[in-house]
Amino acid sequence: MFSSASAAAITFSIEDTSTDGITAFAEIAGSIQIPWFISIFAAIIVGWLLEALVLHFFCKKVYPQWKYWHSLIIGMIGLLYSALTPFATGGQAMQIYYMRKLGMDTGGAGSIIAVKSLVYQIIMVLFALVMVFWKLPFFQSSV
């Protein structure tokens, strides 16, 4: 979702600031700092691998024969369909569908995706609470 929003923002900013979008895009592309670009690309790859690792952890508990490669594929399918569907609603459903195609029963696949989503939401709330308490003076004065 972030990448779609970023692409849209870049596209609109190029159209607004220049009458020749291709020239503006070439100027922006020429100013890219390669070390930062490589760092961002590496962070994306690490994020994908960690997503697969979390999924693999839950799948392996229910299905001991489950392979990491399957978890990586299922994670990529979830990212793809979340990016393609409105409000990222299709990712989890397609993950369950493809887990079923890989031999997992639908109930097990659904529970794994539900638990993974629940854990993700809990971590996000805890992270937000930690950040609020860590920066409490800022929030008290600014918000």
Side-chain angles (χ1 to χ4, degrees):
M1 184 168 159
F2 177 73
S3 60
S4 300
S6 299
I10 290 169
T11 302
F12 291 127
S13 67
I14 289 172
E15 287 181 13
D16 289 343
T17 60
S18 173
T19 56
D20 186 13
I22 300 298
T23 305
F25 185 73
E27 290 173 12
I28 292 170
S31 67
I32 291 175
Q33 296 179 1
I34 299 301
W36 283 107
F37 186 77
I38 292 170
S39 298
I40 291 168
F41 187 72
I44 290 170
I45 299 296
V46 167
W48 292 344
L49 295 174
L50 289 174
E51 167 79 17
L53 186 65
V54 169
L55 186 59
H56 186 66
F57 174 76
F58 291 120
C59 289
K60 200 74 161 158
K61 293 288 183 189
V62 179
Y63 294 92
Q65 71 276 13
W66 193 258
K67 300 199 177 356
Y68 179 79
W69 180 249
H70 291 152
S71 298
L72 185 62
I73 291 169
I74 297 300
M76 293 292 102
I77 287 170
L79 289 172
L80 172 67
Y81 283 98
S82 290
L84 291 176
T85 56
F87 307 109
T89 56
Q92 293 175 338
M94 292 309 291
Q95 283 179 317
I96 294 168
Y97 173 74
Y98 277 97
M99 289 167 90
R100 175 72 181 122
K101 285 182 74 173
L102 289 173
M104 193 179 287
D105 69 279
T106 308
S111 66
I112 288 168
I113 297 299
V115 169
K116 184 178 79 83
S117 300
L118 182 64
V119 168
Y120 174 80
Q121 293 300 322
I122 290 169
I123 296 297
M124 288 292 107
V125 168
L126 291 176
F127 180 70
L129 290 174
V130 167
M131 294 306 295
V132 167
F133 288 124
W134 185 33
K135 295 292 186 177
L136 190 58
F138 169 77
F139 285 107
Q140 288 175 333
S141 65
S142 300
V143 178

